[in-house]
Amino acid sequence: MTLSAVAISAPGKVLLAGGYLVLDRQHTGLVFGLSARIHVHVQELPTSLDVAHSEVIVRSPQFTDAEWRYRYRETENEGGVQVVQMESNCTSAQAQNKFVETALAYALSYVSSTSRTDIGCLSITIVADTDYYSYPGTTDSIDPARFVNFNVPLAEVHKTGLGSSAALVTSFTAAVLAFYLDQSQLALDLASGKARLHNLAQAAHCAAQGKVGSGFDVAAAVYGSCVYRRFSPSILENLGEVGSPEFSGRLKAVVEDTNPSKKWDVQINKLTAVIPRGLSLLMCDVDCGSETVGMVKKVLTWRKEKPDEAALLWATLQKGGEELAGELQRLALWSKATHPDYETLSDTISAIRSLIREMSVKADVPIEPDVQTVLLNTCCQIRGVVGGVVPGAGGYDAIALLVEHEAIPSLQRFLSTYTTANDHGDGPVVGKVKLLSVKQETEGLKREKSQIQPMQDASRSIERLPSAGNDSQPTAPIESTEIDDPPSIDPPQKPQWPLNPNIHETQVSEAHKDDTSETNLGSSVVPMPAPHREPLSITSANAGPVSTSSPPPLPPLPTPTRHEPEVSTSISAVPHPLTREKTGPAIGPPSDKPIPNPQESDSIGFTLFITLLLISGARHPFKMDERYLKKRNVNVDGNNPVNMSVYTLKELIWREWRDDWEIRPSSPSSIRLIYFGKLLEDKSRLHDCRFEAGLTPHVVHMTIKPQEIVDEEDAKMAKTGNRDRDANEGSAGCRCIIL
């Protein structure tokens, strides 16, 4: 019986928040699927070719010499299907492709344990969208906008860091399964089918890597954009190698989740991963790939050596990621009648970047290298660029930017002439910066209506996939699996706080067991806790029982306001103010290393130590005690610095502004202070923001509002006549700062 050809694609990914944290089940990652896809086409190998009965030919015709030929055999003692590369067909640097070989062996092993179908001979073709690679390709492609001919060996092109290996393993595994198994055996458009594919792809990807990774990239390839909490690594331990006795049974138990002692506990929530309608998630490539394995090892070594320091920093990063997901959700519901206020979103991204740079310094790992810092800071100066990060594990992969739609042309013009210097110390040489054509995409794995002509000359041409209506080749009766978009698409929807069903059919609520199609993955995946603003609890959380209570309402969107401080804690006017020249600089010189805890000295009364962390990564010590407050004429309860307001702290920083910083802003209101991942409000007192007097320094991230934002706020306030002030404030719209 002739089997119909199958074509399946899987998306790339970008881990916007949660880099390194996703390695631990205590934490989560905010990952978005991307429109760049890897396509895999599977069909029977024509018998007229000179091939053996048990042969599989895999080609990647976009690259030269990218062909791998395998022979397979079913092993004894239920060891699965072993795949061996035919040495006579090994070519140059493409001699082995571990991801292809492992995915093929795992997929065929599962097929043989599930179906008695004769495997026969296969022709498998892999093509990738252009943005997976920095190399520009040539112009002789039939469809250069989609599949270009790179005309170089695969090993010679830089990857952009969009998750090509995970997308390859996922789409490859899915295509092989869909080719052999019918809907009754594996339905990829159902939650149960996607769960099995996810489990098999995770196992194959980890085996190819030689380690059990976090798996967020495979999850994004299967499900698309989501908030992800990893599975327990023990699930894949002791699986063994293909060919070992009873491997086939162990693999089937893992895929179908039938081992009661090793149940899959991965948690995936699609409803909390949204991009507001007015923004686009864009990727900007620097043409210089990264090797993340060594970076991850160094970070984990630092975490092991300094667990308390790492736990505090990771908890703060986790809260920052939750704040980011929550703010994106809120903005997705913003009324179309008014322009959204992206200030909080921008501040949250800046806070996450500051924390990442702090981890980079402590672990001695270039998570955000200097060249990437300059690029991000420069892009963020363009009006309409809300913020950006070096995603995932960092390094020299493509950066991610959140950009207002109308600002994209300006960003493109700027980047078209932007180049980086070639001298970056010990870092690699960085090429020309390029804005990739990818954008965020909610959909994960999907079937394609197209197919690839078999056995073309891989070194000379690449064929565009013909339509499914082409009678010259057998075509599978397949349709793209459509998934409802999150509430960022018109019309705006209220956010749905998801229930808590498991990802697997055996644990899905009764209402979903008889579904014939999957239209909303949010009802069939394990949800993450909804983003909140409470302090983070650093405890492991497993999937709980299904909740049947009504979802809590989302708090209303805050109206953007500008607060002034309480008069009782502001700096008072005096006849003879002291200046910086008379008292000496209170804010110390910069350091790019963590500042050690201060020692007992000549401090008088309560003392507050702050380390100001600038966006450049420089750290400045700032000490305040009773003597300092008196010299600066600051009156607070009990002469304790933690009783001052946040705005008073801004005033002090503004007065102590260092000459080696950027130009001092026009007023303290332009200063943003972020502590524990939260933007500090002017009216709040420091002790309410978790500041304590003592020898432990408080790391506070400081950024400056762009002047155009300040001007816009001033213009809005001028129209209303005055500013939002407390009733006990005397003057309206006027403040005096004593220098």
Side-chain angles (χ1 to χ4, degrees), residues 155-173:
E156 293 184 10
V157 294
H158 289 147
K159 293 183 179 181
T160 54
L162 304 187
S164 58
S165 66
L168 168 62
V169 169
T170 301
S171 56
F172 191 101
T173 303

Side-chain angles (χ1 to χ4, degrees), residues 189-268:
D189 55 347
L190 295 182
S192 58
K194 276 190 168 65
R196 291 184 183 185
L197 170 64
H198 167 270
N199 299 346
L200 180 57
Q202 291 282 19
H205 194 245
C206 290
Q209 288 182 312
K211 64 183 179 67
V212 180
S214 67
F216 79 90
D217 44 4
V218 171
V222 176
Y223 294 104
S225 301
C226 62
V227 173
Y228 175 83
R229 191 189 299 276
R230 72 158 303 154
F231 57 89
S232 297
S234 60
I235 294 172
L236 297 180
E237 292 177 356
N238 303 319
L239 181 58
E241 297 182 354
V242 178
S244 61
E246 300 182 352
F247 172 82
S248 181
R250 293 193 300 273
L251 179 65
K252 186 174 182 180
V254 165
V255 173
E256 299 179 359
D257 198 25
T258 57
N259 187 341
S261 64
K262 291 187 177 183
K263 302 293 290 184
W264 281 87
D265 50 5
V266 64
Q267 295 181 359
I268 296 167

Side-chain angles (χ1 to χ4, degrees), residues 49-71:
L49 296 175
D50 184 20
V51 295
H53 175 70
S54 59
E55 188 167 337
V56 178
I57 300 179
V58 181
R59 300 176 306 113
S60 183
Q62 292 169 289
F63 302 96
T64 59
D65 299 330
E67 179 179 299
W68 303 268
R69 295 195 174 203
Y70 303 97
R71 283 187 178 175

Side-chain angles (χ1 to χ4, degrees), residues 134 158-161 285-292 395-398 428-429:
S134 299
H158 289 147
K159 293 183 179 181
T160 54
D285 178 40
V286 296
D287 191 12
C288 184
S290 295
E291 179 59 52
T292 61
Y396 295 89
D397 288 337
V429 174

Side-chain angles (χ1 to χ4, degrees), residues 462-735:
I462 175 169
E463 296 292 340
R464 180 68 172 100
L465 309 183
S467 66
N470 189 336
D471 295 329
S472 63
Q473 295 290 339
T475 305
I478 49 182
E479 298 290 336
S480 294
T481 302
E482 298 298 332
I483 301 174
D484 288 346
D485 286 325
S488 61
I489 307 300
D490 293 333
Q493 306 171 11
K494 292 183 178 180
Q496 305 172 46
W497 298 96
L499 301 178
N500 211 12
N502 208 323
I503 193 170
H504 311 295
E505 186 181 40
T506 56
Q507 295 175 323
V508 174
S509 62
E510 295 295 331
H512 298 289
K513 283 188 176 179
D514 298 325
D515 286 349
T516 57
S517 64
E518 183 180 52
T519 58
N520 192 331
L521 287 175
S523 63
S524 60
V525 297
V526 174
M528 301 305 305
H532 57 85
R533 307 279 173 165
E534 298 301 320
L536 177 69
S537 175
I538 317 175
T539 57
S540 178
N542 293 321
V546 176
S547 170
T548 57
S549 59
S550 301
L554 186 72
L557 284 170
T559 302
T561 57
R562 185 176 178 181
H563 298 292
E564 294 294 331
E566 299 173 332
V567 170
S568 59
T569 59
S570 62
I571 299 176
S572 59
V574 294
H576 302 288
L578 296 173
T579 64
R580 278 196 293 167
E581 288 71 25
K582 293 182 180 180
T583 59
I587 299 177
S591 171
D592 59 356
K593 300 291 183 182
I595 297 174
N597 290 356
Q599 304 296 321
E600 293 282 0
S601 59
D602 58 349
S603 301
I604 296 179
F606 295 103
T607 305
L608 175 64
F609 290 95
I610 288 178
T611 297
L612 290 174
L613 180 58
L614 277 57
I615 195 169
S616 63
R619 300 161 181 269
H620 296 266
F622 188 11
K623 169 188 168 184
M624 289 169 282
D625 60 5
E626 181 178 340
R627 176 166 48 195
Y628 173 80
L629 295 179
K630 288 182 178 179
K631 287 183 177 181
R632 298 307 189 270
N633 304 297
V634 179
N635 299 317
V636 295
D637 294 341
N639 290 322
N640 190 339
V642 300
N643 290 327
M644 73 173 68
S645 70
V646 171
Y647 192 86
T648 301
L649 176 59
K650 290 183 180 182
E651 287 182 320
L652 290 171
I653 294 172
W654 191 83
R655 288 174 59 181
E656 307 287 354
W657 201 263
R658 291 182 58 88
D659 295 335
D660 53 353
W661 290 354
E662 59 183 284
I663 298 176
R664 187 170 71 169
S666 57
S667 73
S669 299
S670 299
I671 299 174
R672 296 166 171 162
L673 300 179
I674 302 164
Y675 184 56
F676 269 93
K678 182 178 180 181
L679 182 68
L680 302 183
E681 298 181 358
D682 287 349
K683 289 185 176 182
S684 300
R685 294 180 183 269
L686 296 185
H687 68 76
D688 295 330
C689 302
R690 302 171 65 180
F691 285 79
E692 297 179 356
L695 294 178
T696 302
H698 303 72
V699 179
V700 178
H701 305 269
M702 184 177 77
T703 63
I704 308 299
K705 292 181 185 178
Q707 187 59 42
E708 57 267 24
I709 293 179
V710 177
D711 294 341
E712 287 181 2
E713 291 177 348
D714 289 341
K716 290 178 182 178
M717 292 170 185
K719 292 181 180 179
T720 61
N722 57 17
R723 299 178 176 179
D724 179 25
R725 306 178 66 87
D726 284 349
N728 63 344
E729 287 192 278
S731 61
C734 178
R735 289 198 61 81

Side-chain angles (χ1 to χ4, degrees), residues 286-566:
V286 296
D287 191 12
C288 184
S290 295
E291 179 59 52
T292 61
V293 176
M295 296 170 63
V296 172
K297 286 182 178 179
K298 292 187 70 172
V299 170
L300 294 181
T301 299
W302 158 73
R303 189 185 184 207
K304 183 178 180 180
E305 293 175 349
K306 298 185 177 180
D308 294 338
E309 179 181 78
L312 178 61
L313 183 55
W314 280 31
T316 310
L317 274 167
Q318 171 67 25
K319 184 169 179 59
E322 292 173 352
E323 294 279 349
L324 177 59
E327 186 62 20
L328 288 170
Q329 278 188 289
R330 291 173 183 273
L331 290 170
L333 301 179
W334 198 279
S335 171
K336 291 169 53 176
T338 59
H339 188 275
D341 182 355
Y342 296 122
E343 182 177 344
T344 300
L345 178 60
S346 178
D347 290 336
T348 303
I349 296 173
S350 295
I352 292 173
R353 280 187 62 198
S354 296
L355 293 167
I356 287 295
R357 284 195 300 274
E358 183 175 350
M359 180 167 64
S360 182
V361 171
K362 291 181 176 180
D364 192 25
V365 175
I367 302 174
E368 185 182 300
D370 291 344
V371 64
Q372 298 281 52
T373 297
V374 173
L375 176 60
L376 282 167
N377 291 347
T378 307
C379 288
C380 290
Q381 294 300 314
I382 300 173
R383 189 176 185 84
V385 178
V386 178
V389 298
V390 182
Y396 295 89
D397 288 337
I399 65 171
L401 298 170
L402 282 171
V403 185
E404 295 184 56
H405 294 333
E406 56 269 23
I408 295 177
S410 299
L411 179 63
Q412 289 175 322
R413 287 193 297 271
F414 166 74
L415 292 176
S416 66
T417 58
Y418 183 90
T419 56
T420 59
N422 288 335
D423 183 11
H424 299 290
D426 296 332
V429 174
V430 176
K432 185 176 181 180
V433 176
K434 178 181 68 174
L435 188 66
L436 302 179
S437 60
V438 297
K439 60 182 180 62
Q440 75 276 4
E441 186 170 278
T442 61
E443 191 174 3
L445 183 92
K446 67 179 180 181
R447 295 174 180 255
E448 300 287 352
K449 295 182 179 180
S450 49
Q451 68 181 52
I452 298 174
Q453 298 288 348
M455 307 311 296
Q456 293 290 334
D457 183 354
S459 66
R460 293 189 59 82
S461 66
I462 175 169
E463 296 292 340
R464 180 68 172 100
L465 309 183
S467 66
N470 189 336
D471 295 329
S472 63
Q473 295 290 339
T475 305
I478 49 182
E479 298 290 336
S480 294
T481 302
E482 298 298 332
I483 301 174
D484 288 346
D485 286 325
S488 61
I489 307 300
D490 293 333
Q493 306 171 11
K494 292 183 178 180
Q496 305 172 46
W497 298 96
L499 301 178
N500 211 12
N502 208 323
I503 193 170
H504 311 295
E505 186 181 40
T506 56
Q507 295 175 323
V508 174
S509 62
E510 295 295 331
H512 298 289
K513 283 188 176 179
D514 298 325
D515 286 349
T516 57
S517 64
E518 183 180 52
T519 58
N520 192 331
L521 287 175
S523 63
S524 60
V525 297
V526 174
M528 301 305 305
H532 57 85
R533 307 279 173 165
E534 298 301 320
L536 177 69
S537 175
I538 317 175
T539 57
S540 178
N542 293 321
V546 176
S547 170
T548 57
S549 59
S550 301
L554 186 72
L557 284 170
T559 302
T561 57
R562 185 176 178 181
H563 298 292
E564 294 294 331
E566 299 173 332

